[in-house]
Amino acid sequence: MTDAQRSPLPRGMHANGALDGPWWANAVVYQVYPRSFQDSNNDGIGDIPGITSRLDYLADLGVDVLWLSPIYRSPQDDNGYDIADYRDVDPMFGTLYDLDELIGQAHARGIRIVMDLVVNHTSDEHAWFQASRRGDPQYADWYWWRPAKPGHTPGTPGAEPNNWGSDFGGSAWTYDPGRGAYYLHSFSRKQPDLNWENPAVRDAVYRMMGWWLDRGVDGFRMDVITLISKPVAADGTLPDGPADESGYCNSQVAAADGPRLDEFLAEMRSRVFDGREGFLTVGEAPGITPVRNRHITTPNHGELDMLFLFDHMMFDERGSKWNPLPLDLVTLKRIMRRYQEAVSVEGWNALFFNNHDQPRVVSRWGDVSTDDLRVRSAKALALVLHMHRGTPYIYQGEELGMTNAGFTSLSQYRDIESLSLYDVRVLEDKLATHEQMISALTMRSRDNARTPMPWDDSRYAGFTGSGPDDPGPWMEVNPNKDVINARNEQRDPYSVLAFYRRLIDLRHTDPVVSVGGWRLLDADDKRVYAFVRSLPVPVPGHRDLLVVANLSSHTAVIPPETAGLLGFDQTGFPSRSSGTAGISVDDIVLSTYPADHTLASLTTRRLEPWEAFIYRM
């Protein structure tokens, strides 16, 4: 049971502004994308019984929370993020009974279950929207309906109520002839936005959340929750925003962190969670600054436990994700420093480099030119992320060092964002050529994270059946599944998987990792990412930790501030009084190279490519 693996936090340790650290301060969350995790009935689509069958794998890894991407009944326009019935499971994934069994089996292993909750929008096939579209008085204003722009013919170009654009391309408004009005959809036109200004909408959402908690769910990851409060003008209109290269203002820019967001989140906390214990709430938070993150996640404000911020996922692009840039480590450190320092006293961070919407980080910022460099860079990136203050999130396959899919043809892609944006950018707006967009998809498509989980090196990687009558997986398996798969890594004590187990165990057992302070070193160094984790008060048996990582494929010199803590004097040589001769292998808590190799690196003040380590000071 993973709960038993986590040591209680020392009394008086501050986490999230609370004297007694909450249970999730030294917990680790694992995200499962159900469609791609494990297929139990050989129809090519992952399902809930498949997840249940792999719980021992998750318990062995040591994770404390399982986050399920949406499994609700849905037409699957956006792979389940378009919900048609909040209180039922889509038949492709199983039944409510299957989900009850998963919850019970997970709890028996000390693993909590967090469900994805999408309440900024529903599917256009949800009964609420169908009634609203008909003009049913009870549901008429449950969604954002607005007339055409004055002086324009409804349904014609330019008649949309404002210049907001969908995140999937084109206008965020679709004209409905039956209703005689436009409805707002921040994403697909099949994902109309709910009108949270209407108290009846909020009541229905809160009742639904309570129903799931009563059923045994332990909390929610809330999709784009910071878009629920729209900036409504006094006359009821939604104002234009600054346009980007597409000619639209992205609706995530226009509607993020609206004027009533704090009110809505506090109301949700009070109505749904008051009187309950042991739950977790995490919000996907486009448009939220680190300072606002501190406010929302500080306990006495009664909003959410933690948020996913996105500055560190958007700095390596020019104008849009489809124009990617190389890793600028100095900028990444600056962003992470803002995150960490904003919550140094109160508030909390959610730590992630991967999820269902992001390409694989080892392909994005690591080095996949050889398998050795892939393994080392996957470990180094994991070490840096997990040693920050906050709650780490692991996305399925990340613990194996999974790479991008390497697809070369548009026919291999399944994601609505990738396919829609190809049409918009290549065929309609002529912003990119076919070759440029295929290259961009290879690097940034969300499908890179959605290939089936590789359990072994069989034809379909152990994800689904490979018999003559089996249809094969809904999406191609990653071509490198013969090398990167769970069975191979479970046998290898030096694998990425083994490294993740040790990182998770360290967070479970050392309060310096979970609630210690954080201080960046050598902020301007272009290759080395280094910082100190320290407890505000001494705790017997625990010492401060120095984290040092060469996040490059080149040899790197340990920079001055970091070198000083390792005992080098200003001339660059070990000082006589506190030189590295005093460091032993036992002081190296964890390293991407063998500990004796890292010890030798310290004597020369040089780190090999992707050499990273934790040193107990």
Side-chain angles (χ1 to χ4, degrees), residues 270-337:
S270 173
R271 293 277 300 278
V272 178
F273 296 101
D274 276 4
R276 301 181 188 267
E277 296 180 352
F279 60 84
L280 172 67
T281 60
V282 55
E284 185 185 29
I288 297 296
T289 66
V291 172
R292 284 287 289 134
N293 175 63
R294 177 178 65 213
H295 176 90
I296 291 170
T297 64
T298 295
N300 61 14
H301 296 149
E303 298 187 35
L304 299 176
D305 295 327
M306 60 193 80
L307 296 176
F308 294 127
L309 303 186
F310 288 97
D311 289 354
H312 71 300
M313 293 282 99
M314 300 173 65
F315 76 96
D316 59 343
E317 59 190 43
R318 184 177 61 255
S320 79
K321 67 186 275 185
W322 309 112
N323 297 312
L325 298 171
L327 172 63
D328 178 346
L329 184 60
V330 173
T331 300
L332 176 63
K333 288 191 284 187
R334 186 179 304 126
I335 293 168
M336 298 299 283
R337 182 180 198 166

Coordinates of all heavy atoms in Angstrom, one line a residue, residues 270-337:
S270 N -17.0 25.2 -0.7 CA -18.0 25.2 0.4 C -19.1 24.2 0.1 O -19.4 23.4 1.0 CB -18.5 26.6 0.6 OG -19.6 26.6 1.5
R271 N -19.6 24.2 -1.1 CA -20.8 23.4 -1.4 C -20.5 21.9 -1.5 O -21.3 21.1 -1.2 CB -21.5 23.9 -2.6 CG -22.1 25.3 -2.5 CD -23.5 25.3 -1.9 NE -24.4 24.5 -2.7 CZ -25.0 24.9 -3.8 NH1 -24.8 26.2 -4.2 NH2 -25.8 24.1 -4.5
V272 N -19.3 21.6 -2.0 CA -19.0 20.2 -2.4 C -18.1 19.5 -1.4 O -18.3 18.4 -1.0 CB -18.3 20.2 -3.8 CG1 -17.9 18.7 -4.1 CG2 -19.2 20.8 -4.9
F273 N -17.1 20.3 -0.8 CA -16.1 19.6 -0.1 C -16.1 19.8 1.4 O -15.4 19.1 2.2 CB -14.7 20.0 -0.6 CG -14.4 19.6 -2.0 CD1 -14.6 20.5 -3.1 CD2 -14.1 18.3 -2.3 CE1 -14.4 20.1 -4.4 CE2 -13.9 17.9 -3.6 CZ -14.0 18.8 -4.7
D274 N -16.8 20.8 1.9 CA -16.8 21.1 3.3 C -17.4 19.8 4.1 O -18.4 19.3 3.7 CB -17.7 22.3 3.7 CG -16.9 23.6 3.5 OD1 -15.8 23.6 3.1 OD2 -17.5 24.7 3.8
G275 N -16.7 19.4 5.1 CA -17.1 18.3 5.9 C -16.5 17.0 5.4 O -16.7 15.9 6.0
R276 N -15.7 17.0 4.3 CA -15.1 15.8 3.7 C -13.6 15.9 4.0 O -13.0 17.0 4.1 CB -15.3 15.7 2.2 CG -16.8 15.6 1.8 CD -16.9 15.4 0.3 NE -18.3 15.5 -0.2 CZ -19.1 14.5 -0.4 NH1 -18.6 13.3 0.0 NH2 -20.3 14.6 -0.8
E277 N -12.9 14.8 4.0 CA -11.5 14.7 4.3 C -10.8 13.8 3.2 O -11.5 12.9 2.6 CB -11.2 14.2 5.7 CG -11.7 15.1 6.8 CD -11.4 14.5 8.2 OE1 -10.9 13.3 8.2 OE2 -11.6 15.2 9.2
G278 N -9.5 14.0 3.1 CA -8.8 13.1 2.2 C -8.9 13.3 0.7 O -8.4 12.5 0.0
F279 N -9.5 14.4 0.3 CA -9.7 14.6 -1.1 C -8.6 15.5 -1.7 O -7.7 16.0 -0.9 CB -11.0 15.3 -1.3 CG -11.2 16.7 -0.7 CD1 -10.7 17.8 -1.3 CD2 -11.8 16.8 0.6 CE1 -10.8 19.0 -0.6 CE2 -11.9 18.0 1.2 CZ -11.4 19.1 0.6
L280 N -8.5 15.6 -3.0 CA -7.6 16.4 -3.7 C -8.3 17.1 -4.8 O -9.1 16.6 -5.6 CB -6.5 15.5 -4.3 CG -5.5 16.2 -5.3 CD1 -4.6 17.2 -4.5 CD2 -4.6 15.1 -6.0
T281 N -8.0 18.4 -4.9 CA -8.5 19.2 -6.0 C -7.4 19.9 -6.7 O -6.6 20.6 -6.1 CB -9.5 20.3 -5.6 OG1 -8.9 21.2 -4.6 CG2 -10.7 19.7 -4.9
V282 N -7.3 19.7 -8.0 CA -6.2 20.3 -8.8 C -6.9 20.9 -10.1 O -7.7 20.2 -10.7 CB -5.1 19.4 -9.2 CG1 -5.6 18.1 -9.9 CG2 -4.0 20.0 -10.1
G283 N -6.5 22.1 -10.4 CA -7.2 22.8 -11.6 C -6.2 23.0 -12.7 O -5.0 23.5 -12.5
E284 N -6.6 22.7 -13.9 CA -5.8 23.2 -15.1 C -6.0 24.7 -15.2 O -7.2 25.1 -15.3 CB -6.3 22.4 -16.3 CG -5.4 22.7 -17.6 CD -6.0 22.1 -18.8 OE1 -7.2 21.8 -18.9 OE2 -5.2 21.8 -19.7
A285 N -5.0 25.4 -15.3 CA -5.1 26.9 -15.1 C -4.5 27.8 -16.2 O -3.6 28.5 -15.9 CB -4.5 27.2 -13.7
P286 N -5.0 27.7 -17.4 CA -4.5 28.6 -18.4 C -4.7 30.1 -18.0 O -5.8 30.4 -17.4 CB -5.3 28.3 -19.7 CG -6.5 27.5 -19.2 CD -6.1 26.8 -17.9
G287 N -3.7 30.9 -18.2 CA -3.8 32.3 -17.9 C -3.6 32.7 -16.5 O -3.7 33.9 -16.1
I288 N -3.2 31.8 -15.6 CA -3.0 32.1 -14.2 C -1.5 32.4 -13.9 O -0.6 31.6 -14.3 CB -3.5 31.0 -13.3 CG1 -5.0 30.8 -13.5 CG2 -3.1 31.2 -11.8 CD1 -5.8 31.9 -13.0
T289 N -1.2 33.5 -13.2 CA 0.2 33.8 -12.9 C 0.6 33.1 -11.6 O -0.3 32.7 -10.8 CB 0.3 35.3 -12.7 OG1 -0.5 35.7 -11.5 CG2 -0.2 36.1 -13.9
P290 N 1.9 33.1 -11.3 CA 2.3 32.5 -10.1 C 1.7 33.1 -8.8 O 1.4 32.5 -7.8 CB 3.8 32.6 -10.1 CG 4.1 32.6 -11.6 CD 3.0 33.3 -12.2
V291 N 1.6 34.5 -8.9 CA 1.0 35.2 -7.7 C -0.5 34.8 -7.5 O -0.9 34.6 -6.4 CB 1.1 36.7 -7.9 CG1 0.4 37.4 -6.8 CG2 2.6 37.1 -7.9
R292 N -1.2 34.7 -8.6 CA -2.6 34.2 -8.5 C -2.7 32.8 -8.1 O -3.6 32.4 -7.4 CB -3.3 34.4 -9.9 CG -3.7 35.9 -10.2 CD -4.8 36.3 -9.3 NE -6.1 35.7 -9.7 CZ -7.0 35.2 -8.9 NH1 -6.8 35.2 -7.6 NH2 -8.1 34.6 -9.4
N293 N -1.7 32.0 -8.5 CA -1.7 30.6 -8.0 C -1.6 30.5 -6.5 O -2.2 29.7 -5.9 CB -0.5 29.9 -8.7 CG -0.3 28.5 -8.1 OD1 -1.2 27.6 -8.3 ND2 0.8 28.2 -7.5
R294 N -0.7 31.4 -6.0 CA -0.6 31.4 -4.5 C -1.9 31.8 -3.9 O -2.3 31.1 -2.9 CB 0.5 32.5 -4.1 CG 0.6 32.6 -2.6 CD 1.7 33.7 -2.3 NE 1.3 35.0 -2.7 CZ 2.2 35.9 -3.2 NH1 3.5 35.6 -3.2 NH2 1.8 37.1 -3.6
H295 N -2.6 32.7 -4.4 CA -3.9 33.1 -3.8 C -4.9 31.9 -3.8 O -5.5 31.6 -2.8 CB -4.5 34.3 -4.5 CG -5.9 34.7 -4.0 ND1 -6.0 35.6 -3.0 CD2 -7.1 34.3 -4.4 CE1 -7.3 35.7 -2.7 NE2 -8.0 34.9 -3.6
I296 N -5.0 31.3 -5.0 CA -6.0 30.3 -5.2 C -5.7 29.1 -4.4 O -6.7 28.4 -3.9 CB -6.2 29.9 -6.7 CG1 -6.8 31.1 -7.5 CG2 -7.0 28.7 -6.9 CD1 -6.7 31.0 -9.0
T297 N -4.5 28.7 -4.2 CA -4.1 27.5 -3.5 C -3.8 27.7 -2.0 O -3.3 26.7 -1.3 CB -2.9 26.8 -4.2 OG1 -1.8 27.7 -4.1 CG2 -3.3 26.5 -5.6
T298 N -3.9 28.9 -1.5 CA -3.7 29.1 0.0 C -5.0 28.7 0.7 O -6.1 29.1 0.4 CB -3.4 30.6 0.2 OG1 -2.2 31.0 -0.4 CG2 -3.4 30.9 1.7
P299 N -4.8 27.8 1.7 CA -6.0 27.2 2.3 C -7.0 28.1 2.9 O -8.2 27.8 2.7 CB -5.4 26.3 3.4 CG -4.0 26.0 3.0 CD -3.6 27.2 2.2
N300 N -6.6 29.2 3.5 CA -7.6 30.1 4.1 C -8.5 30.8 3.1 O -9.4 31.5 3.4 CB -7.0 31.0 5.1 CG -6.0 32.0 4.5 OD1 -5.9 32.1 3.3 ND2 -5.2 32.6 5.3
H301 N -8.2 30.7 1.8 CA -9.0 31.3 0.7 C -10.1 30.3 0.3 O -11.0 30.7 -0.4 CB -8.2 31.8 -0.5 CG -7.3 32.9 -0.1 ND1 -6.1 33.1 -0.7 CD2 -7.4 33.9 0.8 CE1 -5.5 34.1 -0.2 NE2 -6.2 34.6 0.8
G302 N -9.9 29.0 0.6 CA -10.9 28.0 0.4 C -11.3 27.8 -1.1 O -12.4 27.7 -1.4
E303 N -10.2 27.7 -1.9 CA -10.5 27.4 -3.4 C -10.0 26.0 -3.8 O -10.7 25.1 -3.6 CB -9.9 28.6 -4.2 CG -10.5 29.9 -3.8 CD -10.1 31.1 -4.7 OE1 -9.9 30.9 -5.9 OE2 -9.9 32.2 -4.2
L304 N -8.8 25.9 -4.4 CA -8.3 24.6 -4.8 C -7.0 24.3 -4.1 O -6.3 25.2 -3.6 CB -8.0 24.7 -6.4 CG -9.3 24.9 -7.2 CD1 -8.9 25.0 -8.7 CD2 -10.3 23.8 -7.0
D305 N -6.6 23.0 -4.1 CA -5.4 22.6 -3.5 C -4.1 23.0 -4.3 O -3.1 23.3 -3.7 CB -5.4 21.1 -3.2 CG -6.5 20.7 -2.3 OD1 -6.7 21.4 -1.3 OD2 -7.0 19.5 -2.4
M306 N -4.2 22.8 -5.6 CA -3.1 23.2 -6.5 C -3.6 23.4 -7.9 O -4.7 23.0 -8.3 CB -2.0 22.0 -6.4 CG -2.5 20.7 -6.8 SD -1.3 19.4 -6.4 CE -1.7 19.1 -4.6
L307 N -2.7 24.0 -8.7 CA -3.0 24.3 -10.1 C -1.9 23.9 -11.0 O -0.7 23.8 -10.6 CB -3.2 25.8 -10.3 CG -4.3 26.5 -9.5 CD1 -4.3 28.0 -9.8 CD2 -5.7 26.0 -10.0
F308 N -2.3 23.5 -12.3 CA -1.3 23.4 -13.3 C -1.1 24.7 -14.0 O -2.0 25.2 -14.7 CB -1.8 22.3 -14.3 CG -1.9 20.9 -13.8 CD1 -3.1 20.2 -14.0 CD2 -0.9 20.3 -13.2 CE1 -3.3 18.9 -13.5 CE2 -1.0 19.0 -12.7 CZ -2.2 18.3 -12.9
L309 N 0.1 25.3 -13.9 CA 0.4 26.5 -14.6 C 1.1 26.1 -15.9 O 1.7 25.0 -16.0 CB 1.3 27.4 -13.7 CG 0.8 27.8 -12.4 CD1 1.7 28.8 -11.7 CD2 -0.6 28.4 -12.5
F310 N 1.2 27.1 -16.8 CA 1.6 26.7 -18.2 C 2.7 27.6 -18.8 O 3.1 27.4 -19.9 CB 0.4 26.7 -19.1 CG -0.5 25.5 -18.9 CD1 -1.6 25.7 -18.1 CD2 -0.1 24.3 -19.4 CE1 -2.4 24.6 -17.9 CE2 -1.0 23.2 -19.2 CZ -2.1 23.3 -18.4
D311 N 3.3 28.5 -18.0 CA 4.3 29.4 -18.6 C 5.5 28.5 -19.0 O 6.1 28.8 -20.0 CB 4.8 30.4 -17.5 CG 3.8 31.5 -17.3 OD1 2.8 31.5 -18.0 OD2 4.0 32.3 -16.4
H312 N 5.8 27.4 -18.2 CA 7.0 26.6 -18.6 C 6.7 25.6 -19.7 O 7.6 25.0 -20.2 CB 7.4 25.8 -17.3 CG 6.5 24.7 -16.9 ND1 5.2 24.9 -16.5 CD2 6.7 23.4 -16.8 CE1 4.6 23.8 -16.2 NE2 5.5 22.8 -16.3
M313 N 5.4 25.6 -20.2 CA 5.1 24.8 -21.3 C 4.9 25.6 -22.6 O 4.6 25.0 -23.6 CB 3.8 24.0 -21.0 CG 3.9 23.0 -19.9 SD 4.7 21.4 -20.5 CE 6.4 21.6 -19.9
M314 N 5.1 26.9 -22.5 CA 4.8 27.8 -23.6 C 5.9 28.7 -24.0 O 5.8 29.4 -25.0 CB 3.5 28.7 -23.3 CG 2.3 27.8 -23.0 SD 0.9 28.8 -22.4 CE 0.6 29.8 -23.9
F315 N 7.0 28.7 -23.3 CA 8.1 29.6 -23.6 C 9.0 29.2 -24.8 O 9.7 30.0 -25.4 CB 9.0 29.8 -22.3 CG 9.9 28.6 -22.1 CD1 11.2 28.6 -22.5 CD2 9.5 27.5 -21.4 CE1 12.1 27.6 -22.3 CE2 10.3 26.4 -21.2 CZ 11.6 26.4 -21.6
D316 N 8.9 27.9 -25.1 CA 9.7 27.3 -26.2 C 9.0 27.3 -27.5 O 9.0 26.3 -28.2 CB 10.3 26.0 -25.8 CG 9.2 24.9 -25.5 OD1 8.1 25.3 -25.3 OD2 9.5 23.7 -25.6
E317 N 8.3 28.4 -27.8 CA 7.6 28.5 -29.0 C 7.5 29.9 -29.5 O 7.8 30.9 -28.7 CB 6.1 28.0 -28.9 CG 5.3 28.8 -27.8 CD 4.0 28.1 -27.5 OE1 4.0 26.9 -27.3 OE2 3.0 28.9 -27.4
R318 N 7.3 30.2 -30.8 CA 7.2 31.5 -31.3 C 5.8 31.7 -31.9 O 5.5 31.3 -33.0 CB 8.3 31.7 -32.4 CG 8.4 33.1 -33.0 CD 9.5 33.2 -34.1 NE 9.2 32.3 -35.2 CZ 9.9 31.1 -35.4 NH1 10.9 30.7 -34.6 NH2 9.6 30.4 -36.5
G319 N 5.0 32.4 -31.1 CA 3.7 32.8 -31.6 C 2.6 31.7 -31.3 O 1.5 32.0 -30.9
S320 N 3.0 30.4 -31.5 CA 2.1 29.3 -31.2 C 3.0 28.1 -31.1 O 4.1 28.0 -31.4 CB 1.1 29.1 -32.4 OG 1.7 28.4 -33.5
K321 N 2.3 27.0 -30.6 CA 3.1 25.7 -30.3 C 3.5 25.1 -31.6 O 4.4 24.3 -31.6 CB 2.2 24.8 -29.6 CG 1.0 24.3 -30.4 CD 0.0 23.4 -29.5 CE 0.4 22.0 -29.5 NZ -0.5 21.1 -28.7
W322 N 3.0 25.6 -32.8 CA 3.3 25.0 -34.1 C 4.6 25.6 -34.6 O 5.0 25.3 -35.7 CB 2.1 25.1 -35.0 CG 0.9 24.6 -34.4 CD1 -0.2 25.3 -34.0 CD2 0.6 23.2 -34.0 NE1 -1.1 24.5 -33.4 CE2 -0.7 23.2 -33.4 CE3 1.4 22.0 -34.1 CZ2 -1.2 22.0 -33.0 CZ3 0.8 20.9 -33.7 CH2 -0.5 20.9 -33.1
N323 N 5.2 26.6 -33.9 CA 6.4 27.2 -34.2 C 7.4 26.9 -33.1 O 7.8 27.9 -32.3 CB 6.3 28.7 -34.5 CG 5.4 29.0 -35.7 OD1 5.6 28.3 -36.8 ND2 4.5 29.9 -35.6
P324 N 7.9 25.7 -32.9 CA 8.7 25.4 -31.7 C 10.1 25.9 -31.7 O 10.6 26.1 -32.8 CB 8.7 23.8 -31.7 CG 8.5 23.5 -33.1 CD 7.6 24.5 -33.7
L325 N 10.6 26.2 -30.5 CA 12.0 26.7 -30.4 C 12.8 25.7 -29.5 O 12.2 24.9 -28.7 CB 12.0 28.1 -29.7 CG 11.3 29.2 -30.4 CD1 11.2 30.4 -29.5 CD2 12.0 29.5 -31.7
P326 N 14.1 25.7 -29.6 CA 14.9 24.8 -28.7 C 14.8 25.3 -27.2 O 14.4 26.4 -26.9 CB 16.3 25.0 -29.2 CG 16.2 25.7 -30.5 CD 14.9 26.5 -30.5
L327 N 15.2 24.4 -26.4 CA 15.1 24.7 -24.9 C 16.1 25.8 -24.6 O 17.3 25.8 -25.0 CB 15.5 23.4 -24.1 CG 15.7 23.6 -22.6 CD1 14.5 24.1 -21.9 CD2 16.3 22.4 -22.0
D328 N 15.6 26.8 -23.9 CA 16.4 27.9 -23.4 C 16.4 27.7 -21.9 O 15.4 28.1 -21.2 CB 15.8 29.3 -23.7 CG 16.6 30.4 -23.2 OD1 17.4 30.2 -22.2 OD2 16.4 31.6 -23.6
L329 N 17.5 27.1 -21.3 CA 17.5 26.6 -19.9 C 17.4 27.8 -19.0 O 16.7 27.7 -17.9 CB 18.7 25.8 -19.6 CG 18.8 25.2 -18.2 CD1 17.6 24.3 -17.9 CD2 20.1 24.5 -18.0
V330 N 18.0 28.9 -19.3 CA 18.0 30.1 -18.5 C 16.5 30.6 -18.3 O 16.1 30.9 -17.2 CB 18.9 31.2 -19.0 CG1 18.7 32.5 -18.2 CG2 20.3 30.8 -19.0
T331 N 15.8 30.6 -19.4 CA 14.4 31.0 -19.3 C 13.5 30.0 -18.5 O 12.7 30.4 -17.7 CB 13.8 31.2 -20.7 OG1 14.5 32.1 -21.4 CG2 12.3 31.6 -20.7
L332 N 13.8 28.7 -18.7 CA 13.0 27.7 -17.9 C 13.3 27.9 -16.4 O 12.4 27.9 -15.6 CB 13.4 26.3 -18.4 CG 12.8 25.2 -17.6 CD1 11.3 25.2 -17.7 CD2 13.4 23.8 -18.0
K333 N 14.6 28.1 -16.1 CA 14.9 28.3 -14.7 C 14.2 29.6 -14.1 O 13.7 29.6 -13.0 CB 16.4 28.4 -14.5 CG 17.1 27.1 -14.6 CD 18.6 27.2 -14.2 CE 19.5 27.9 -15.2 NZ 20.9 27.8 -14.8
R334 N 14.1 30.6 -14.9 CA 13.5 31.9 -14.5 C 12.0 31.6 -14.2 O 11.5 32.1 -13.2 CB 13.7 32.9 -15.5 CG 13.2 34.3 -15.1 CD 13.4 35.3 -16.2 NE 14.8 35.4 -16.6 CZ 15.3 35.2 -17.8 NH1 14.4 35.0 -18.8 NH2 16.6 35.3 -18.1
I335 N 11.4 30.9 -15.1 CA 9.9 30.6 -14.9 C 9.7 29.7 -13.6 O 8.9 30.0 -12.8 CB 9.4 29.9 -16.1 CG1 9.4 30.8 -17.3 CG2 8.0 29.3 -15.9 CD1 9.1 30.1 -18.6
M336 N 10.5 28.6 -13.5 CA 10.4 27.8 -12.3 C 10.7 28.5 -11.0 O 10.0 28.2 -10.0 CB 11.3 26.5 -12.5 CG 10.9 25.7 -13.7 SD 9.3 24.9 -13.7 CE 9.5 23.6 -12.6
R337 N 11.6 29.4 -11.1 CA 11.9 30.2 -9.9 C 10.7 31.1 -9.5 O 10.4 31.1 -8.3 CB 13.1 31.1 -10.2 CG 13.5 32.0 -9.0 CD 14.7 32.9 -9.4 NE 15.5 33.4 -8.3 CZ 16.7 33.9 -8.4 NH1 17.3 34.0 -9.6 NH2 17.3 34.3 -7.3

